[in-house]
Amino acid sequence: MNNLKLGVEVASAHDLTAKDGQGTASPYVELHFDHQKFRTTVKEKDLNPYWNETFYFTISDPKNLANLTLDAYVYNNAKGNNVKSFMGKVHINGTSFVPYSDAVVFHYPLEKRSIFSRVKGELGLKVFVTDNPSIRSSNPLPQMDTNSHGRNESKDSRRTFHHLPNSNSNLHQPQLPAQQPYIATGSQPQPYAYGLEDTRSQHQNQNQSQSQPRVVRMYSGSSSQPLEYSLKETSPFLGGGQVIGGRVVSRDNRRASTYDLVEQMQFLFVRVVKAQDLPSMDVTGSLDPYVEVRVGNYKGVTQHFSKTSNPEWNVVFAFSRERMQATILDVVVKDKDMLKDDFVGIVRVNLHDIPTRVPPDSPLAPEWYRIEDKKGEKRKGELMLAVWMGTQADEAFPDAFLADAAMSNVDGSVSSMYTRSKVYHSPRLWYVRVNVIEVQDLVWGEKTRFPDVYVKAQINNQVLRTRPVQARTGNALWNEDMMFVAAEPFEDHLILTIEDRMGPNKDETLGKVFIPLNAVERRADDRFIQPRWFNLQHPGDHDVDEKMKDHKFATRLHLRICLDGGYHVLDESTQYSSDLRPTAKQLWKPSIGILELGILNASALHPMKTRESKGTTDAYCVAKYGHKWVRTRTVIDSFVPKFNEQYTWEVYDPSTVLTVGVFDNSQVENDSGNNHKDVRIGKIRIRISTLETGRVYTHSYPLLLLHPSGVKKMGELHLAIRFSSTSMVNMMYMYSSPLLPKMHYVRPLTVVQLEMLRHQAVSIVAARLSRAEPPLRREIVEYMTDANSHLWSMRRSKANFFRLMSVFNGVFAVSKWFGEVCLWKNPITTVLVHILFVMLVSFPELILPTVFLYMFLIGLWNYWFRAQYPPHMNTRISYADAVNPDELDEEFDTFPTSRNPDLVRHRYDRLRSVAGRIQSVIGDIASQGERLQGLLSWRDPRATLIFMVFCLIAAFVLYATPFQVLVIVAGFYVMRHPRFRHRLPSAALNFFRRLPARTDSML
């Protein structure tokens, strides 16, 4: 029996021609193959549609497959008169059909039907051949007029059955490889039927089958969002085996690889170390050698050295094994020349003889190879090489130059620097506390007036001033505190200047002092720091030791300075902090677990720029947790990049957030000197406390980005995440410990101080990371740390307001229910409430045990409906799907605004500043209410378990204890003497502050 079928996945189209006279179109795709026709759904008003729909054609004669052709026509659907207009076509010969394992999505340029056709754009198709017997052919369309191309398709449109959207159906593939973002689990599924009756029965079968990948919703009720923006749970084949239901099922008994959360990728590594005694090909005897490494159509080139026959390169090239179609590795030595490079020699290596290296084996030792001429005869000169097969777990992979056909469009020397994967560490940040006490023996110029002096303190670009004080006796007293942020290693000095305010915008410097931060005393608690007197330098002196001065300057400044290491320096939004440890390392506690992240691949990315008149994207990912930033390699010119890189972090607190961002690399162009900014594509946040211990989460996350025109889905990112706990007892104990270090409660900082210091911390981190190689640019750091989240936004204010209303929906529902009870709408319910009321009044000691027992039962009931996925950004909660253009224009406006004249600008900015604080307060109130909801929602499984155990114990304790005793004890505890109070928050309050809120789902 012939089971051979042709599968066609219609992925997307880009930059189509507008057809409806309004600058847009409603496209669909019609497929023709072997006298069969299928059609996709219509995408209304979209010039860059995404279908992701799969069709299966029956191949009548497999022997004649090479002579068959697949035609894909793109049409515009006109609603009014049921006609279609031609937008382009793609013609694929049968000789290019490949098995499923070799198939990828390829973007074909649309062709004209005639010389008068107006066509542009691309169509993304994935075409493959499969013989899986469980896959049935799709139902074809009713017979249509093949020559109409503009007339009515069918007289009875009610009998035309369209293919269902591929949000689910594209997942039903026969054993999809791991690089696909949507992968079915379990047994092989049956494809969709297209008739209405068959569709209903098929959906019933889906409810009975576990083989379908699940499209998970963020929240129920009003918080739901379109399926396009939802998470998709996948079941990929990773290094340790297939992930099924959060567990890794090994395919065989092989030892698990180092990278067990990503798909293993095979690479051919070629290390070009050095050469010796190379012959000169020039009559002058000079030689400018370089090496060209070739495998088929892929090549890598080293830099050239001038006038030497013994160069040393020590560079590594990596070639993807799945793309190699050659059996010989050519390593060619050439002589750089002005017109044409000369051939020096060649080394040929048979790929079948190359060994495979598996870490933790030691690196392969390089060997000397005699170079040959083009005829294969030995020639003077040797080349030292090391050639081996390996994976991305190889130590040479991060620094290897990935040779790819896409690299031919970019500058190799630039791309090798800006495309490699790297790990960065944020600098250790300190708070610098400066207590300005007094100044003595001031010397000022005008003796006819008393100076109005103040102290200006500066570290780099951070400047603070004390209040002005009139010094009648030459002395002035302030006793004011100022806080700064500094980073190790300390590169800047603390500069204090005494200035006299002589008039508006007219200040005179009376003295200054330079204090190296390395010499400042450090403390990890609130112990008293002894003040010191500092002799001020003359205003005309600059960074010169005062001991070398010929003259004396009598003015002294009394200061108390210290580096406060007991605080956690906030460099992220407080809602999404990835680290809560203090600066001083001696205060750090042992880690409670390990977080492992596998960045698998991305799919359906939008073109972010043009190269050679064609849309393209050079994507890479950045992940941040704690002090450690990681950056994947950049995949050049691909809308479906595969990264397959795995990283690990130590976890010190479960109430922290991992952030993963996707960016387009703008530094790999040949004109990289233009300093273009890397463009953001999307961002994902995952709170550690919402992850179950030991479970492997494999989901495809939509990359949602807010544009001035509204929210857009920029693609999807496929991740594998696992959180492993080292000690469950220590983790449970963390829920009762303070969220922030002790100093934040003993000597708290104001909200205004924290916001100002956070802005300075972000600037310092961005400046330090931008000096790395390759640099982690400022726009990336600001986007990952939500540096501008405090600015005013009408959309965020509305979202926080509706979050607040959602919190009180339960109270409103109870009030409505009680009103119905009073109105006797349900007599049975009303009678039962009366009986319960009489019972509780008669036995008041049952009130609290009943409430806690009821809450325990609610938590137990909600356990069966707990979420099985990490939370993700929700467009409905973020109020991004109903925002109007004027509000978006205000949100994307600069600060200060550029829309109004000076007076209006001042008022407008003041309003935005005040409204931004109001929005933060509303958001904080909403977060408290959402934490109450999270007590029994299993959003944080460990916290809910702790609270349920507490409720159960409290129910029995309260039942056994007289109610009057409890009231007296509670009253005495609330009114206890201050001597019995502790400055740190209680365990119950610490537990409540650690509960997750819906801030993780805010866009």
Side-chain angles (χ1 to χ4, degrees):
M1 182 178 177
N2 177 26
N3 292 322
L4 199 63
K5 298 174 184 64
L6 179 71
V8 180
E9 179 182 343
V10 183
S12 61
H14 302 292
D15 198 24
L16 297 178
T17 306
K19 286 289 186 179
D20 60 356
Q22 300 178 0
T24 183
S26 299
Y28 67 92
V29 179
E30 193 173 285
L31 302 173
H32 294 220
F33 176 79
D34 200 10
H35 306 292
Q36 304 168 62
K37 302 177 185 178
F38 297 147
R39 189 170 68 187
T40 67
T41 55
V42 178
K43 297 298 181 181
E44 299 290 341
K45 307 292 185 181
D46 195 353
L47 295 180
N48 297 281
Y50 284 84
W51 288 283
N52 292 326
E53 301 177 16
T54 305
F55 304 87
Y56 292 96
F57 296 86
T58 299
I59 301 176
S60 57
D61 185 6
K63 297 180 180 179
N64 193 39
L65 179 61
N67 299 324
L68 299 177
T69 60
L70 171 67
D71 293 307
Y73 296 90
V74 184
Y75 293 108
N76 172 58
N77 181 56
K79 283 188 174 181
N81 47 13
N82 193 25
V83 298
K84 58 183 181 181
S85 55
F86 180 81
M87 301 179 68
K89 69 174 183 178
V90 171
H91 181 82
I92 304 176
N93 294 320
T95 54
S96 62
F97 298 158
V98 295
Y100 183 84
S101 59
D102 297 332
V104 295
V105 176
F106 190 82
H107 292 267
Y108 298 86
L110 293 176
E111 304 172 0
K112 296 182 178 181
R113 187 172 57 189
S114 65
I115 60 174
F116 302 104
S117 300
R118 187 167 62 91
V119 170
K120 70 172 183 176
E122 298 174 337
L123 178 63
L125 299 176
K126 181 178 180 180
V127 184
F128 56 91
V129 177
T130 179
D131 59 352
N132 194 321
S134 64
I135 298 298
R136 296 183 302 175
S137 298
S138 306
N139 289 351
L141 293 172
Q143 184 64 33
M144 296 184 298
D145 184 5
T146 59
N147 298 322
S148 60
H149 292 307
R151 297 188 293 273
N152 293 345
E153 299 176 10
S154 174
K155 294 181 180 179
D156 188 3
S157 61
R158 293 175 295 177
R159 297 186 59 188
T160 301
F161 302 115
H162 301 279
H163 192 282
L164 293 178
N166 215 28
S167 59
N168 289 326
S169 62
N170 69 330
L171 307 171
H172 312 322
Q173 299 293 332
Q175 295 293 336
L176 301 191
Q179 69 266 21
Q180 295 298 323
Y182 317 124
I183 300 175
T185 62
S187 59
Q188 293 296 343
Q190 298 296 328
Y192 277 111
Y194 302 147
L196 182 60
E197 310 295 338
D198 295 337
T199 303
R200 290 176 179 172
S201 63
Q202 189 69 22
H203 281 288
Q204 293 175 359
N205 294 336
Q206 288 178 10
N207 295 332
Q208 301 173 2
S209 175
Q210 300 269 330
S211 63
Q212 318 288 359
R214 292 174 293 176
V215 178
V216 293
R217 306 261 184 174
M218 301 314 302
Y219 298 96
S220 60
S222 60
S223 300
S224 61
Q225 61 178 353
L227 289 178
E228 183 183 5
Y229 298 155
S230 299
L231 270 70
K232 298 180 180 65
E233 187 174 8
T234 63
S235 183
F237 287 95
L238 304 180
Q242 186 180 13
V243 179
I244 301 177
R247 294 179 174 271
V248 179
V249 180
S250 179
R251 290 170 285 183
D252 47 36
N253 295 325
R254 293 182 305 172
R255 179 177 59 88
S257 63
T258 305
Y259 285 8
D260 63 337
L261 289 186
V262 293
E263 177 193 0
Q264 281 194 358
M265 301 176 66
Q266 299 291 328
F267 290 93
L268 168 64
F269 292 96
V270 181
R271 181 186 296 276
V272 182
V273 183
K274 59 183 177 180
Q276 66 180 9
D277 301 330
L278 293 178
S280 175
M281 307 305 296
D282 195 347
V283 293
T284 61
S286 64
L287 181 66
D288 301 332
Y290 71 92
V291 174
E292 183 178 282
V293 183
R294 294 199 303 253
V295 180
N297 295 329
Y298 303 104
K299 69 176 181 179
V301 181
T302 68
Q303 65 176 352
H304 74 277
F305 288 92
S306 299
K307 299 180 180 180
T308 178
S309 59
N310 299 290
E312 293 188 12
W313 293 283
N314 198 24
V315 295
V316 181
F317 298 93
F319 300 86
S320 177
R321 186 171 185 178
E322 66 177 10
R323 297 185 180 182
M324 291 192 308
Q325 298 179 351
T327 59
I328 298 297
L329 166 67
D330 293 331
V331 184
V332 184
V333 182
K334 292 186 176 182
D335 180 16
K336 189 72 174 178
D337 202 349
M338 293 288 293
L339 299 178
K340 183 180 179 181
D341 297 343
D342 297 325
F343 175 85
V344 177
I346 188 173
V347 173
R348 295 181 182 272
V349 181
N350 194 327
L351 296 184
H352 298 294
D353 300 332
I354 294 177
T356 299
R357 176 178 177 265
V358 180
D361 289 351
S362 299
L364 192 67
E367 301 178 17
W368 286 105
Y369 292 83
R370 286 286 301 273
I371 64 174
E372 303 173 350
D373 58 14
K374 294 182 179 180
K375 297 181 180 179
E377 298 180 357
K378 297 297 182 180
R379 169 177 289 186
K380 177 186 176 184
E382 291 181 308
L383 189 62
M384 180 178 281
L385 301 175
V387 185
W388 71 96
M389 287 289 183
T391 66
Q392 70 268 41
D394 200 291
E395 293 88 346
F397 179 75
D399 295 323
F401 178 81
L402 297 178
D404 197 318
M407 289 292 186
S408 60
N409 297 325
V410 299
D411 186 354
S413 61
V414 175
S415 62
S416 63
M417 178 191 304
Y418 288 99
T419 61
R420 293 175 178 172
S421 58
K422 290 295 179 181
V423 176
Y424 308 82
H425 281 275
S426 297
R428 191 151 64 121
L429 302 177
W430 291 79
Y431 282 148
V432 183
R433 186 185 295 271
V434 181
N435 179 231
V436 182
I437 303 175
E438 61 178 330
V439 66
Q440 290 184 356
D441 303 329
L442 278 173
V443 178
W444 65 95
E446 296 184 8
K447 300 299 182 179
T448 58
R449 53 177 291 276
F450 295 114
D452 199 17
V453 297
Y454 64 89
V455 177
K456 181 178 74 173
Q458 180 177 358
I459 298 180
N460 198 5
N461 60 345
Q462 307 174 62
V463 180
L464 293 177
R465 295 175 174 84
T466 65
R467 70 183 188 279
V469 173
Q470 196 172 55
R472 293 180 174 270
T473 61
N475 302 332
L477 179 66
W478 290 280
N479 198 22
E480 293 186 18
D481 267 358
M482 293 184 285
M483 297 289 289
F484 300 89
V485 179
E488 283 188 307
F490 301 115
E491 299 177 348
D492 302 303
H493 291 339
L494 170 63
I495 305 174
L496 294 109
T497 308
I498 305 292
E499 297 190 358
D500 177 15
R501 179 161 297 172
M502 305 180 64
N505 299 324
K506 185 179 180 182
D507 298 331
E508 180 185 3
T509 301
L510 303 182
K512 59 185 175 182
V513 61
F514 297 87
I515 303 175
L517 292 179
N518 285 322
V520 175
E521 186 176 357
R522 308 183 184 194
R523 68 175 183 180
D525 51 16
D526 62 337
R527 62 184 176 84
F528 182 78
I529 299 296
Q530 292 293 338
R532 292 176 55 193
W533 287 97
F534 292 87
N535 295 324
L536 270 67
Q537 299 179 13
H538 191 272
D541 301 335
H542 298 280
D543 295 325
V544 181
D545 193 344
E546 55 187 326
K547 294 181 181 179
M548 299 176 62
K549 295 295 178 181
D550 296 334
H551 60 275
K552 298 294 183 181
F553 195 64
T555 305
R556 299 191 305 166
L557 186 60
H558 202 195
L559 302 174
R560 184 181 291 112
I561 309 174
C562 69
L563 293 170
D564 266 332
Y567 291 94
H568 168 67
V569 181
L570 291 168
D571 60 341
E572 305 167 283
S573 175
T574 54
Q575 300 168 344
Y576 314 122
S577 291
S578 62
D579 187 20
L580 300 171
R581 292 173 296 171
T583 302
K585 289 187 176 181
Q586 60 265 35
L587 299 178
W588 290 5
K589 297 180 180 179
S591 64
I592 61 171
I594 298 295
L595 176 65
E596 298 169 276
L597 170 67
I599 304 176
L600 303 180
N601 53 62
S603 62
L605 296 182
H606 284 209
M608 306 303 296
K609 57 177 175 264
T610 57
R611 183 184 294 131
E612 297 181 354
S613 302
K614 180 183 177 182
T616 185
T617 297
D618 305 326
Y620 67 94
C621 299
V622 174
K624 181 195 185 306
Y625 185 77
H627 292 169
K628 180 179 175 181
W629 298 65
V630 298
R631 169 182 180 151
T632 68
R633 71 186 188 280
T634 300
V635 179
I636 304 295
D637 193 17
S638 177
F639 299 125
V640 285
K642 293 193 297 183
F643 303 102
N644 286 309
E645 298 184 24
Q646 183 172 339
Y647 299 95
T648 303
W649 288 268
E650 285 187 310
V651 177
Y652 294 89
D653 197 306
S655 302
T656 47
V657 177
L658 166 71
T659 304
V660 183
V662 184
F663 302 88
D664 174 64
N665 197 330
S666 300
Q667 315 305 314
V668 297
E669 304 293 340
N670 293 329
D671 57 343
S672 59
N674 52 23
N675 198 27
H676 288 166
K677 291 184 177 181
D678 289 354
V679 183
R680 60 185 69 170
I681 297 178
K683 180 169 56 179
I684 296 166
R685 304 189 195 99
I686 299 171
R687 187 171 292 272
I688 307 303
S689 62
T690 61
L691 303 177
E692 295 181 12
T693 305
R695 177 185 173 93
V696 178
Y697 292 86
T698 53
H699 291 82
S700 185
Y701 294 82
L703 297 171
L704 305 179
L705 193 64
L706 195 65
H707 287 269
S709 57
V711 65
K712 290 184 179 180
K713 180 181 176 181
M714 308 299 294
E716 295 189 357
L717 181 63
H718 195 193
L719 300 178
I721 304 167
R722 178 172 56 206
F723 171 57
S724 304
S725 173
T726 55
S727 174
M728 185 60 67
V729 175
N730 291 341
M731 185 181 300
M732 294 298 186
Y733 174 75
M734 289 295 298
Y735 282 89
S736 63
S737 60
L739 189 66
L740 293 171
K742 179 179 178 180
M743 284 290 289
H744 285 271
Y745 307 102
V746 175
R747 299 192 66 176
L749 303 176
T750 65
V751 175
V752 177
Q753 273 183 312
L754 287 174
E755 197 61 45
M756 180 195 67
L757 293 172
R758 174 176 172 260
H759 175 72
Q760 298 296 338
V762 172
S763 299
I764 292 175
V765 172
R768 289 290 179 92
L769 294 182
S770 63
R771 292 162 55 184
E773 186 176 315
L776 207 59
R777 299 174 61 85
R778 175 176 292 272
E779 60 269 17
I780 298 172
V781 176
E782 292 180 349
Y783 182 57
M784 296 288 289
T785 58
D786 292 288
N788 298 322
S789 61
H790 63 285
L791 295 180
W792 163 256
S793 167
M794 181 66 75
R795 177 189 60 83
R796 287 199 196 97
S797 299
K798 289 182 178 180
N800 289 332
F801 174 76
F802 287 111
R803 286 172 56 206
L804 188 61
M805 296 298 295
S806 177
V807 168
F808 290 104
N809 280 342
V811 178
F812 299 150
V814 171
S815 300
K816 182 180 179 181
W817 172 82
F818 186 72
E820 293 176 352
V821 168
C822 297
L823 295 175
W824 287 77
K825 286 190 175 183
N826 189 334
I828 298 178
T829 303
T830 303
V831 171
L832 292 177
V833 170
H834 278 76
I835 295 174
L836 179 63
F837 175 73
V838 172
M839 183 179 64
L840 293 178
V841 171
S842 302
F843 305 98
E845 64 272 11
L846 295 179
I847 296 177
L848 290 179
T850 302
V851 171
F852 281 105
L853 186 60
Y854 181 64
M855 294 172 69
F856 171 80
L857 294 176
I858 292 177
L860 192 62
W861 174 262
N862 288 341
Y863 173 80
W864 306 108
F865 305 98
R866 69 192 187 279
Q868 301 291 335
Y869 51 89
H872 186 52
M873 298 177 184
N874 190 293
T875 56
R876 187 68 54 84
I877 293 177
S878 305
Y879 208 74
D881 55 349
V883 62
N884 60 57
D886 181 64
E887 294 173 354
L888 283 174
D889 179 72
E890 181 183 28
E891 182 169 349
F892 282 90
D893 188 14
T894 58
F895 192 88
T897 179
S898 58
R899 302 289 194 271
N900 299 302
D902 292 341
L903 180 61
V904 180
R905 180 185 301 130
H906 172 71
R907 295 175 180 176
Y908 183 46
D909 292 344
R910 181 175 58 186
L911 174 64
R912 293 171 71 187
S913 177
V914 174
R917 297 181 183 180
I918 295 175
Q919 120 184 333
S920 300
V921 172
I922 295 176
D924 291 340
I925 296 175
S927 297
Q928 308 310 317
E930 289 167 354
R931 290 191 175 103
L932 282 174
Q933 292 180 331
L935 283 171
L936 298 172
S937 67
W938 291 93
R939 182 68 274 170
D940 183 342
R942 288 168 288 273
T944 302
L945 179 61
I946 293 173
F947 185 71
M948 287 175 56
V949 172
F950 168 76
C951 291
L952 185 61
I953 296 175
F956 288 104
V957 171
L958 294 174
Y959 178 78
T961 306
F963 183 74
Q964 293 83 354
V965 175
L966 290 174
V967 174
I968 292 175
V969 171
F972 274 54
Y973 176 79
V974 171
M975 296 181 290
R976 68 190 184 279
H977 192 273
R979 179 180 299 176
F980 301 104
R981 298 178 183 270
H982 202 273
R983 289 186 292 181
L984 294 178
S986 63
L989 188 57
N990 293 330
F991 175 84
F992 180 78
R993 287 176 175 172
R994 289 179 174 275
L995 292 172
R998 289 191 175 183
T999 52
D1000 302 338
S1001 299
M1002 291 291 294
L1003 190 63

